[in-house]
């Protein structure tokens, strides 16, 4: 087997702040690697072609579809999933707002939705409701009708802006 | 002692208040446990080779290449599984004439729709199973395909199941009064054709099942994303020849259901059969294409309907001819005749009129089977009814709100029986309409609409009144012979630390069942909701029950929980009275403390009572009962169903150049009886509305004439996304059912029932000055431009 067509790839990355070294099948999706090999089942697999957003994770600071990225591409990457973002309290205000506003029902879309929302919030501005709706338009939610999610994200944006001023 | 619900300051007043969902925090932390998150030792994966054609005889099957894929352990054909799994026939005795052929876990001689499972491949990884399934070679010999509903019964249309004689699955005609005479003498008659598109649920979590057969114990455990664990227990036991007592169905977190996960799917039964044969855990998780081709579809109806009114706008008669195509099999065990039957039951629902004729014709075709999906039949019946009412109002020059007020049952008219023979215990159409009109500021909105029109903008207001069927009795399925429980139960116990555990037969799908149960039990016993641990979704643990469907969780499951909690309270107070040498009737439980009922003075914490009962029972009187576990069941008896009512309004703008509809705002007032948790009810309404808006504007499964499904991906089957959806204002009128102490009716389907009709009426309100009208859903830009005459090719 030539170097170009190896079917197993060695990768070295950090996941949720911890070093991970693995030999992954060349065709394995990042989300499958996280779920099957690392037991990180927080992000979910739903459409497997980049439309629904349930598998959204953070890779090198960007919200990324875990089903559109190969694990082999993650060599050297810094990856965060909802588990790590929870453990480090990075999004606890957003999570609390989701619970308080009941911005989730079945919860299957929620880990991906949180990563996508945090990407918007991390820009530091207070987005309009229309901007929040636009930014989250890559994340399906079939349960809530979205309004509660928009409310929760809006309240966190306002809360963080308020803190920044004091 | 009854609970004084009218006093919001009563002790333990959790019913009627927004309390947090006990299971929400784990879900936002990614700590949910859905079926695909579960890994068992020696677990295998199954993938299916499915029919690529809509109708074919299954010829030779070549499995050599599939078996050669690394990791593949075994391959099963339909014939293989007939040895361990019996077929099913989905009919119900009370749906007279309903017929359907036997259906197998894997197709045996014939494949009848694109996506029907034909061969199952079992491997050590899902990737290997999928790879092998893709190289299974089946010789399909094409058979004639039936796709059109309206010609399915024509003489020259092939019969899909020759042994059944024709393609008619079910037909029901209901007639009340003298319909023809009413139409002949009417001041005005309006007719229209309606079309609702084929939908599917698009649960974000695909259908999922993991089955473990333990031959040593003779026990099957199925981890299943389902709405009805006990029903599935019965089904798996019956068709796999296992005693019912030896099948355990566990339903943990479920990633959305909406009716999709309440049916028996061949691939899921096949997974269980294979687990039994192999003696190892086997997991099946549908992929997204499988979801589109094999999750049940719904709402594929074509309707001709007309309404007769007098000069004052009073409805004289309605006449509805409904047709629907259900695929090649009626779906087990609820059947695929229910949706059409509901259309007959529900048309004209809010209105007091005398002459009614409705017929539903349910035919077989070579498409994915259809069955019950959120708000079964309601969006269709409401679209027909409310569409006709608006057209009649326009025809006689009456305001659409006014014509409804002239026809809705008076709020003091109940109980009444509708011309469809539905019994209504108590509804509030007028109070709900009044509240809606005030909330939306109807007159201002009409002024805004007129102002916009001066600027060349076409805005429309659409109103839709509706009824919703909830809290079903055995009249829905049980009387037809299906082993689907209309009763539900709850066991409530107090543990030594004074905490309370509630085990319920209804299930959590994200709607907030466990929060609802926690607050009902908390109030019933007298503890904080955070001190109630709720357990659902395990047939080996909870009382036998029906699960979650037809908006029954709060009304049926909630009442059982309340009664069990009240019984536990009585048991606790009997012990407390003996310990405190007081009269039980003079004691109460508040916030986990036994108190004097009159003064509220704290007498003893529940944990002290628990300590004595569980560890120092010797100090209590010998004959004193100390049963700190109580179980109660509830079933509705007086009415077959608890109907609810409501009214929705949509305000939108139609771009007459592009045909694009922009939703500006949406309102809903609904009456689900006692509201247990306002936030959860509102979010059920909002989520339901958006599912209805999807049907109105985007959702449509497309097939070609060969029965090929054309849009089997999330990129091609559009559902509502955040950017296009409006904010929604929700309010309530409360008319509690008198059948239960709790007084709750269902709320899960009201949003979906009314939203499509509200949007249709709003679009037509906007387009009326241009002489255009749309009645075929979804209202795509193309259909709107065609209605405007801007596309005619």
């Amino acid at each position: 087997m030539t170097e170009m067509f190896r079917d197993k790839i060695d990768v070295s990355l950090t996941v949720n702040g911890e070093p991970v070294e693995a030999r992954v099948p060349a065709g394995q999706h990042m989300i499958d690697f996280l779920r099957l090999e690392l037991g990180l089942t927080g992000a979910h697999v739903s459409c497997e072609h980049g439309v629904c957003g349930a598998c959204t994770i953070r890779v090198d600071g960007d919200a990324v579809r875990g089903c559109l990225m190969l694990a082999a591409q993650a060599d050297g990457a810094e990856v965060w999933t909802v588990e790590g973002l929870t453990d480090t309290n990075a999004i606890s205000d957003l999570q609390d707002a989701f619970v308080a506003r009941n911005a989730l029902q079945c919860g299957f879309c929620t880990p991906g939705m949180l990563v996508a929302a945090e990407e918007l919030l991390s820009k530091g501005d207070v987005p309009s409701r229309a901007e929040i709706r636009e930014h989250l338009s890559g994340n399906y939610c079939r349960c809530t009708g979205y309004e509660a999610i928009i409310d929760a994200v809006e309240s966190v944006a306002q809360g963080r802006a308020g803190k920044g001023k004091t | 002692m009854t609970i004084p619900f009218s006093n919001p300051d009563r002790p333990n007043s959790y019913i009627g208040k927004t309390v947090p969902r006990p299971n929400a925090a784990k879900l936002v932390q990614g700590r949910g446990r859905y079926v695909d998150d579960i890994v068992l030792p020696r677990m295998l994966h199954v993938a299916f080779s499915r029919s690529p054609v809509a109708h074919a005889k299954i010829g030779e099957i070549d499995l050599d290449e599939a078996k050669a894929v690394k990791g593949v352990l075994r391959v099963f054909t339909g014939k293989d599984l007939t040895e361990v799994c019996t077929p099913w026939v989905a009919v119900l005795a009370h749906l007279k004439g309903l017929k359907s052929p036997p259906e197998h876990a894997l197709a045996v001689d014939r494949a009848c729709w694109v996506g029907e499972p034909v061969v199952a491949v079992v491997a050590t990884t899902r990737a290997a199973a999928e790879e092998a399934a893709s190289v299974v070679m089946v010789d399909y010999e094409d058979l004639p395909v039936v796709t059109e509903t309206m010609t399915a019964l024509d003489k020259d249309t092939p019969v899909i199941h020759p042994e059944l004689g024709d393609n008619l699955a079910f037909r029901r005609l209901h007639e009340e009064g003298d319909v023809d005479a009413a139409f002949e003498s009417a001041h005005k008659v309006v007719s229209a054709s309606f079309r609702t598109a084929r939908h599917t649920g698009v649960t974000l979590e695909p259908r999922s099942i993991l089955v473990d057969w333990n031959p040593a114990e003779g026990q099957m455990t199925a981890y299943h994303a389902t709405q009805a664990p006990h029903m599935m227990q019965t089904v798996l036991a019956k068709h796999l020849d296992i005693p019912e007592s030896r099948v355990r169905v566990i339903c943990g977190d479920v990633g959305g259901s909406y009716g999709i996960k309440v049916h028996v799917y061949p691939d899921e039964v096949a997974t269980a059969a294979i687990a039994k044969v192999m003696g190892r855990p086997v997991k099946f998780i549908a992929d997204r294409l499988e979801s589109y081709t094999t999750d049940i579809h719904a709402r594929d109806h074509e309707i001709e309907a007309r309404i007769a009114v007098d000069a004052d706008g009073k409805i004289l008669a309605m006449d509805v001819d409904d047709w629907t195509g259900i695929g090649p099999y009626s779906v087990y065990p609820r059947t695929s005749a229910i949706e059409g039957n509901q259309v007959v039951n529900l048309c004209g629902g809010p209105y007091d009129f005398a002459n009614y004729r409705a017929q539903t014709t349910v035919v077989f075709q070579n498409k994915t089977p259809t069955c019950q999906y959120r708000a079964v039949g309601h969006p269709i019946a409401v679209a027909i009814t409310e569409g006709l009412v608006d057209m009649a109002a326009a025809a006689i020059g009456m305001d659409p709100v006014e014509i409804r007020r002239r026809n809705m049952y008076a709020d003091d008219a109940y109980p009444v029986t509708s011309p469809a023979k539905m019994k209504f215990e108590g509804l509030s159409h007028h109070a709900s309409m009044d509240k809606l009109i005030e909330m939306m500021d109807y007159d201002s909105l009409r002024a805004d609409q007129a102002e916009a029109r001066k600027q060349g903008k076409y805005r429309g207001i659409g109103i839709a009144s509706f009824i919703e069927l909830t809290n079903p009795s055995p009249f829905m399925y049980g009387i037809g012979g299906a082993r689907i429980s209309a009763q539900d139960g709850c066991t409530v116990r107090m543990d030594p630390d004074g905490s309370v555990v509630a085990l319920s037969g209804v299930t959590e799908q994200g709607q907030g069942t466990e929060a609802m149960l926690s607050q009902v039990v908390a109030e019933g016993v007298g503890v904080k909701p955070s001190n109630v641990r709720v357990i659902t979704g395990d047939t080996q643990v909870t009382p036998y029950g029906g699960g979650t469907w037809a908006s029954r969780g709060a009304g049926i499951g909630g009442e059982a929980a309340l009664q069990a909690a009240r019984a536990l309270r009585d048991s606790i107070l009997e012990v407390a009275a003996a310990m405190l040498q007081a009269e039980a009737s003079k004691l109460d439980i508040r916030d986990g403390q036994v108190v004097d009922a009159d003064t509220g003075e704290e007498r003893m914490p529940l944990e002290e009572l628990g300590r004595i009962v569980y560890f120092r029972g010797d100090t209590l009187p010998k004959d004193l009962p100390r049963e700190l576990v109580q179980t109660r069941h509830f079933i509705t008896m007086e009415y077959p169903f608890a109907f609810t009512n409501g009214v929705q309004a949509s305000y939108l703008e139609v771009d007459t150049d592009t045909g694009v509809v922009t939703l500006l705002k949406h309102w809903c007032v609904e009456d689900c009886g006692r509201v247990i948790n306002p936030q959860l009810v509102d979010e059920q309404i909002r989520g339901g509305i958006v599912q209805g808006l999807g049907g109105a504007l985007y959702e449509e499964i497309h097939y070609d004439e060969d029965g090929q499904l054309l849009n089997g991906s999330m990129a091609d089957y559009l559902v509502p996304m955040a950017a296009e959806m409006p904010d929604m204002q929700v309010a309530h009128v409360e008319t509690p059912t008198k059948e239960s102490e709790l007084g709750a009716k269902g709320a899960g389907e009201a949003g979906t029932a009314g939203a499509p009709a509200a949007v249709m009426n709003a679009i037509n309100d906007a387009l009326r000055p241009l002489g255009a009208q749309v009645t075929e859903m979804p209202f795509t830009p193309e259909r709107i431009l065609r209605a405007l005459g801007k596309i005619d090719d």
Side-chain angles (χ1 to χ4, degrees), chain B residues 241-264:
Chain B
D241 193 25
I242 306 168
E244 200 163 305
S245 62
R246 291 293 178 166
V247 176
R248 178 183 187 184
V249 178
I250 297 174
C251 170
D253 291 315
V254 178
S257 296
Y258 330 115
I260 299 303
K261 294 173 182 169
V262 77
H263 309 295
V264 172

Side-chain angles (χ1 to χ4, degrees), chain B residues 38-53:
Chain B
I38 302 171
V39 175
L40 297 180
R42 303 182 75 228
M43 185 174 83
L44 301 173
H45 301 261
V46 61
F48 294 91
S49 171
R50 298 175 181 278
S51 176
V53 291

Side-chain angles (χ1 to χ4, degrees), chain A residues 78-136:
Chain A
E78 181 187 335
V79 176
W80 288 88
T81 68
V82 70
E83 288 92 342
L85 296 172
T86 300
D87 291 347
T88 54
N89 289 320
I91 56 168
S92 57
D93 54 350
L94 190 57
Q95 289 166 317
D96 291 347
F98 266 57
V99 172
R101 184 57 190 84
N102 198 41
L104 68 151
Q105 289 184 25
C106 79
F108 203 78
C109 73
T110 310
M113 192 72 80
L114 290 168
V115 172
E118 180 60 25
E119 183 184 51
L120 175 67
L121 290 168
S122 65
K123 292 175 184 164
D125 307 327
V126 178
S128 69
R129 289 179 74 80
E131 285 167 337
I132 298 170
R133 285 185 178 278
E134 186 66 31
H135 188 83
L136 296 180

Side-chain angles (χ1 to χ4, degrees), chain B residues 609-766:
Chain B
L609 187 142
R611 183 183 74 83
I612 296 297
V613 167
Y614 286 103
F615 308 119
R616 290 305 310 274
D618 58 301
T619 65
L620 296 172
K622 183 181 172 193
D623 298 331
L624 180 72
R626 71 265 322 247
E627 294 297 337
L628 300 188
V629 185
Q630 295 291 336
T631 299
R632 293 293 182 274
H633 290 83
F634 179 68
I635 186 167
T636 54
M637 297 294 289
E638 305 287 321
Y639 288 85
F641 313 103
F643 276 95
T644 73
N645 69 280
V647 57
Q648 295 189 30
S650 168
Y651 192 45
L652 52 76
E653 186 170 314
V654 183
D655 184 326
T656 54
D657 293 324
T658 64
V660 170
V661 172
T662 302
L663 302 169
L664 300 173
K665 189 145 185 183
H666 201 97
W667 298 264
C668 178
V669 176
E670 70 85 54
D671 183 347
C672 61
R674 179 103 49 227
V675 172
I676 299 170
N677 185 322
Q679 183 185 56
L680 293 182
V681 171
D682 284 359
E683 295 315 312
Q684 276 302 295
I685 300 295
R686 287 197 175 92
I689 287 170
V690 167
Q691 223 153 16
L693 295 176
L697 295 179
Y698 312 117
E699 297 186 37
E700 181 170 25
I701 293 271
H702 290 279
Y703 280 91
D704 70 11
E705 60 193 14
D706 296 325
Q708 286 292 341
L709 191 149
L710 300 177
N711 56 338
S713 84
M714 281 191 176
D716 298 314
Y717 179 91
L718 304 181
V719 301
M721 300 300 293
E724 289 80 26
M725 288 300 104
D727 282 342
M728 294 159 273
Q729 200 172 349
V730 179
H732 304 277
V733 172
E734 292 188 55
T735 310
T737 173
K738 297 185 184 73
E739 280 223 59
S740 67
E741 185 178 351
L742 190 57
K745 305 183 242 184
E749 299 166 285
T752 309
V759 167
M760 178 178 71
N761 285 347
I763 292 172
N764 288 334
D765 185 52

Side-chain angles (χ1 to χ4, degrees), chain B residues 107-166:
Chain B
V108 177
D109 296 319
R110 242 179 356 135
C112 291
W113 85 90
V114 171
E116 183 169 7
V118 177
V119 173
V121 181
V122 184
T124 52
T125 66
R126 182 174 171 187
E130 288 180 351
E131 184 187 340
S134 72
V135 295
V136 166
M137 305 305 282
V138 180
D139 184 14
Y140 291 103
E141 300 166 27
D142 284 346
L143 292 169
V145 172
V146 179
T147 56
E148 290 299 315
T149 297
M150 300 309 295
T151 57
L153 301 183
D154 290 359
K155 280 202 173 63
D156 52 354
T157 300
V159 175
I160 297 175
H161 307 293
E163 70 277 18
L164 297 182
D166 56 30

Side-chain angles (χ1 to χ4, degrees), chain B residues 280-292:
Chain B
R280 288 176 68 170
V282 180
K283 182 189 271 187
F284 167 62
I285 310 291
D287 71 19
R288 193 48 59 180
L289 179 58
E290 289 178 307
S291 301
Y292 279 103

Side-chain angles (χ1 to χ4, degrees), chain B residues 63-75 121 132 135:
Chain B
L63 302 173
D64 290 349
E65 202 179 337
K67 284 177 176 170
V69 172
K70 190 173 156 191
V72 169
L73 298 188
R74 201 152 164 184
V75 184
V121 181
V135 295

